[in-house]
Structure formats: structure tokens, C-alpha cells
Amino acid sequence: MSQGRWFLVVDEHHHYSSSEDAAWTARIKSLPSSAMLAMSATPDRHDGASVFGPPDVKITYVQAFRDRHVKPLDLHAYEYRIDA
């Protein structure tokens, strides 16, 4: 990747704000990119931290469903107890 400008794709970008990932994040940000797609199913962290800044485009699952880009969710919840 020493030549040219690249389109970078970073998945699960919400993990990149912790200090333990600081070196990995710095390396990603140092790559010669013309554009970056930082994807995450949970982009809004509770602490508000984001190393990639606010998104240029943000689409909710509901909107993606309405636009017929994703299938409907089917959620099953279970309650259980473990005595150890």
C-alpha cells in the first residue's frame, strides 16, 4: 500500500476509540486513502467517543428496511437463571 490512494473499509469501527486500540487506529488513519467507509452496527458509543468523527451518511436499520436494503429483524428473547 505504499503507492497510490486507497479506499479503506473499517468494520466494527466503534471498537476503535479505546486506548488499547490506539496503535491500530493510528495506523489506519495514517494509510494513504482517498476515502474511508467506517461501518458499525453500533456507531453511537455511550461515552460519545469516536476516532473517525461523525459520519457523513448515517442510515438506521428501520430506514434501510423501508428502502428494502435489509430483511426484517426477528427477535427472540429468553430469560434464564444459572445457579453456580
Side-chain angles (χ1 to χ4, degrees), residues 10-15 37-45 59:
V10 179
D11 195 13
E12 299 294 326
H13 81 80
H14 60 277
H15 290 293
L37 173 61
M39 301 183 302
S40 177
T42 53
D44 298 323
R45 294 178 55 91
I59 300 170

Side-chain angles (χ1 to χ4, degrees), residues 4-84:
R5 297 193 50 81
W6 297 82
F7 179 79
L8 298 178
V9 177
V10 179
D11 195 13
E12 299 294 326
H13 81 80
H14 60 277
H15 290 293
Y16 291 93
S17 67
S18 66
S19 59
E20 63 194 40
D21 292 322
W24 181 240
T25 300
R27 182 67 181 125
I28 289 171
K29 293 174 95 174
S30 73
L31 294 172
S33 64
S34 57
M36 178 188 296
L37 173 61
M39 301 183 302
S40 177
T42 53
D44 298 323
R45 294 178 55 91
H46 295 295
D47 61 6
S50 174
V51 297
F52 297 115
D56 295 325
V57 177
K58 182 175 179 178
I59 300 170
T60 65
Y61 198 95
V62 172
Q63 186 59 49
F65 173 73
R66 288 181 184 148
D67 293 342
R68 300 176 59 187
H69 297 300
V70 295
K71 62 184 179 179
L73 291 176
D74 187 13
L75 176 64
H76 299 278
Y78 301 95
E79 288 187 32
Y80 58 90
R81 177 180 166 169
I82 298 174
D83 291 324

